[in-house]
């Protein structure tokens, strides 16, 4: 008996070809050195402006040493989920330290930011409730909102008036406002005090994803909520990630005791996954020390940001008004953005081209990210190359 023909695989081939057609196929580069500004990539020495390693900790020798010590003390795997037998003393210590650093009563450590964002909204709202989400939120928040089965209202980016009208018009019993604190492809900050004000007036939760602010913003790197001086209220659910400025891997949610206990009981991406290796938690303790003592690095980063902005008076392209280490240059067209990224690459400069669907149509951009490990010379070098390319485009 012969099997019937199938188009399943042919459809995949056609889809990949369509990605090529639209200059949308993504390719991975292979890095041959620890994360840092100077790395060999596919055999070539490059100056990189790609990573979220804002403080330059990912390749820090003290963190590598802490991870080795952690593995010697705790072994490698956790063996089970946290609620079975995969929760170790070092996880407890890490959670207390995280809560103290961000100034909230309790924290819960999760494996990744993506998993935190998938699970946390569902612990707070469900079918028949309403979520109000900034249109530029990170994909993980979009997915986390969907999983709740609540009605999702997306409001125009940072538009408080539109959000207020949506909240006003919504009869749902439970409401939740969901936002990035620092927008990952634009670099701007959400107006957190005003969002909290709206949350209070409409009796809503405020869930804040500070993946790009934790370690970078606020006193001692305590993050965007501390930067804005948000009060410690049960209403604010603060999510930080530990694979960006913290230089390791993982995430945490901090807030009110009852809220954190609820998330621990209910968040499926926490319950049904193997506990993160305790050795990572051990390394993260050193990372938190480095973050708390990192004023010098944060001050240098601020100087680099100002210096890049001052050196880029762009004409045809536009440098978005970002105060953070994420400095996007919007070019618009996908193919042109790729061309510019390739031209930079040929000069030994590695800057990622970000295209739809990661960013809206016609807003393809170079996403420059700065790190305290860069020098002023690195930044000047990049700015000169960009100005030359813009002039010749
Ligand atoms: C990177 C990122 C995440 C995901 O965090 P991971 O720990 O890398 O999974 C979530 N939210 C935002 C805004 C991010 O930029």
């Amino acid at each position: 008996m012969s099997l019937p023909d199938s188009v399943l695989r042919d459809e995949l081939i056609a889809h990949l070809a369509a990605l090529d057609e639209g200059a949308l196929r993504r390719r991975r580069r292979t890095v041959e050195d620890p994360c840092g500004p100077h790395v060999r990539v596919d055999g070539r020495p490059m100056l990189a402006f790609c990573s979220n390693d804002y403080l330059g900790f990912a390749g820090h020798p003290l963190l590598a040493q802490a991870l080795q010590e952690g593995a010697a003390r705790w072994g490698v795997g956790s063996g089970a989920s946290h609620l079975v037998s995969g929760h170790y003393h070092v996880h407890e210590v890490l959670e207390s330290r995280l809560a103290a650093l961000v100034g909230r009563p309790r924290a819960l450590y999760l494996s990744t930011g993506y998993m935190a964002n998938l699970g946390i909204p569902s612990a707070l709202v469900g079918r028949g409730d309403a979520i109000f989400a900034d249109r530029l939120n990170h994909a993980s928040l979009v997915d986390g909102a969907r999983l709740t089965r609540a009605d999702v209202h997306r409001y125009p980016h940072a538009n408080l008036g539109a959000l207020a009208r949506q909240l006003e018009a919504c009869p749902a019993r439970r409401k939740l406002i969901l936002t990035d604190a620092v927008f990952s492809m634009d670099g701007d900050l959400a107006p957190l005090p005003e969002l909290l004000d709206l949350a209070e007036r409409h009796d809503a939760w405020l869930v804040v994803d500070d993946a790009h602010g934790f370690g970078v913003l606020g006193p001692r790197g305590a993050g965007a909520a501390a930067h804005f001086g948000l009060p410690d209220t049960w209403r604010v659910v603060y999510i930080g990630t530990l694979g960006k400025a913290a230089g390791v891997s993982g995430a945490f949610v901090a807030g009110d005791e009852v809220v954190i206990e609820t998330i621990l009981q209910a968040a499926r991406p926490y319950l049904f996954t193997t506990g993160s290796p305790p050795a990572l938690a051990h390394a993260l303790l050193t990372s938190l020390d480095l973050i708390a003592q990192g004023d010098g690095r944060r001050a240098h980063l601020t100087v680099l940001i100002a210096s890049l902005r001052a050196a880029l008076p762009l004409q045809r392209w536009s440098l978005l008004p970002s105060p953070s280490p994420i400095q996007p240059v919007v070019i618009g067209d996908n193919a042109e953005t790729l061309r510019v990224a390739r031209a930079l690459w040929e000069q030994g400069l590695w800057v990622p081209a970000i295209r739809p669907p990661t960013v809206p149509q016609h807003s393809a951009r170079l996403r420059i990210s700065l790190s305290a490990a860069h020098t002023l010379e690195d930044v000047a070098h990049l700015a000169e190359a960009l100005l030359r390319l813009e002039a010749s485009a």
Side-chain angles (χ1 to χ4, degrees), residues 52 54 110-117 137-141 180-185 209-212 239-244 249-251 326 367:
N52 305 305
Y54 302 120
L110 298 99
S111 300
T112 72
Y114 187 77
M115 290 169 71
N117 290 347
N137 277 350
H138 189 260
S140 56
L141 290 178
D180 283 22
V182 178
F183 288 85
S184 50
M185 296 301 143
D209 172 4
D210 198 22
H212 300 277
I239 299 164
T241 71
L242 301 167
K244 289 174 177 157
S249 176
I326 301 166
R367 180 181 182 272

Side-chain angles (χ1 to χ4, degrees), residues 61-79:
L62 282 177
L63 276 189
Q65 189 189 327
L67 185 57
Q68 286 172 4
E69 286 166 10
R73 169 68 178 83
W74 297 102
V76 181
S78 70

